[in-house]
């Protein structure tokens, strides 16, 4: 039962759909937080939003990166379509590392603000750091859109060309 469930959860269509769904709150974040920048004296809520999205980006990046390991744990390796699955693993690993790295950069921008000003003074640049974190969220969203396109449309041609 777990094996069948993991087969579905690690399929390129499920991964592509989840990546697309994760893009929705990322897009809303880009719109909402950008409206508040430089207009509000207190950006605590916006900082929490960027932090939350950054954590989602990191988590999804780790899951993408470890698709092959998950297939190994649940005995899904060495099937008749292993070359195809390996190509999906490779694409997921690359996009996962990117998502993880960009999510960490968004988190770093926000955490710099949270450190007391006696340690790192960010008093006049808080808005810019939130904007930098928001930029990272935007880059992560673009990366996920590209990942969705690869999972749904471009991966089949690249694997077929390799054979």
């Amino acid at each position: 039962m777990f094996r069948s469930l993991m087969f579905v959860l690690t399929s390129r269509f499920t991964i592509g759909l989840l990546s697309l769904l994760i893009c929705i709150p990322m897009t809303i974040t880009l719109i909402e937080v950008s409206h508040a920048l430089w207009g509000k004296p207190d950006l605590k809520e916006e900082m929490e939003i960027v932090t939350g999205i950054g954590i989602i980006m990191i988590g999804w990046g780790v899951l993408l990166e470890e698709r092959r390991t998950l297939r190994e744990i649940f005995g899904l390796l060495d099937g008749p379509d292993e070359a195809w699955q390996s190509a999906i693993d490779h694409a997921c690993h690359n996009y996962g590392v990117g998502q993880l790295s960009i999510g960490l950069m968004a988190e770093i921008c926000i955490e710099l603000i949270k450190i007391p000003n006696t340690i790192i003074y960010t008093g006049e640049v808080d808005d810019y750091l939130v904007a930098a974190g928001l930029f990272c969220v935007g880059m992560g969203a673009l990366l996920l859109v590209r990942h969705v396109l690869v999972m749904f449309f471009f991966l089949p041609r690249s694997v077929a060309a390799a054979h």
Side-chain angles (χ1 to χ4, degrees), residues 55-107:
I55 290 170
I56 291 169
M57 292 168 65
I58 292 166
W60 186 237
V62 170
L63 284 170
L64 287 176
E65 185 183 16
E66 294 300 329
R67 180 185 185 267
R68 186 187 187 289
T69 303
L70 289 170
R71 289 189 326 110
E72 181 180 358
I73 289 169
F74 289 95
L76 298 173
L77 292 180
D78 300 326
D81 63 344
E82 188 56 32
W84 169 258
Q85 294 297 331
S86 291
I88 296 170
D89 290 344
H90 182 72
C92 285
H93 179 80
N94 290 344
Y95 283 97
V97 168
Q99 196 68 21
L100 172 62
S101 301
I102 295 170
L104 285 170
M105 290 304 297
E107 286 292 307

Side-chain angles (χ1 to χ4, degrees), residues 16-134:
L17 180 63
L18 289 173
S19 287
L20 191 60
L21 288 175
I22 290 170
C23 281
I24 295 169
M26 292 172 83
T27 303
I28 294 169
T29 296
L30 290 170
I31 295 165
E32 293 297 319
V33 173
S34 65
H35 288 315
L37 279 176
W38 293 286
K40 287 176 60 178
D42 180 23
L43 293 173
K44 288 192 188 301
E45 182 178 12
E46 288 73 17
M47 289 169 48
E48 289 300 317
I49 293 169
V50 172
T51 296
I53 294 297
I55 290 170
I56 291 169
M57 292 168 65
I58 292 166
W60 186 237
V62 170
L63 284 170
L64 287 176
E65 185 183 16
E66 294 300 329
R67 180 185 185 267
R68 186 187 187 289
T69 303
L70 289 170
R71 289 189 326 110
E72 181 180 358
I73 289 169
F74 289 95
L76 298 173
L77 292 180
D78 300 326
D81 63 344
E82 188 56 32
W84 169 258
Q85 294 297 331
S86 291
I88 296 170
D89 290 344
H90 182 72
C92 285
H93 179 80
N94 290 344
Y95 283 97
V97 168
Q99 196 68 21
L100 172 62
S101 301
I102 295 170
L104 285 170
M105 290 304 297
E107 286 292 307
I108 289 169
C109 291
I110 301 304
E111 291 304 317
L112 284 171
I113 298 169
K114 293 180 180 179
I115 293 173
N117 280 335
T118 56
I119 307 296
I120 299 176
Y121 186 74
T122 62
E124 284 87 32
V125 296
D126 287 356
D127 290 349
Y128 293 101
L129 287 169
V130 173
L134 189 61

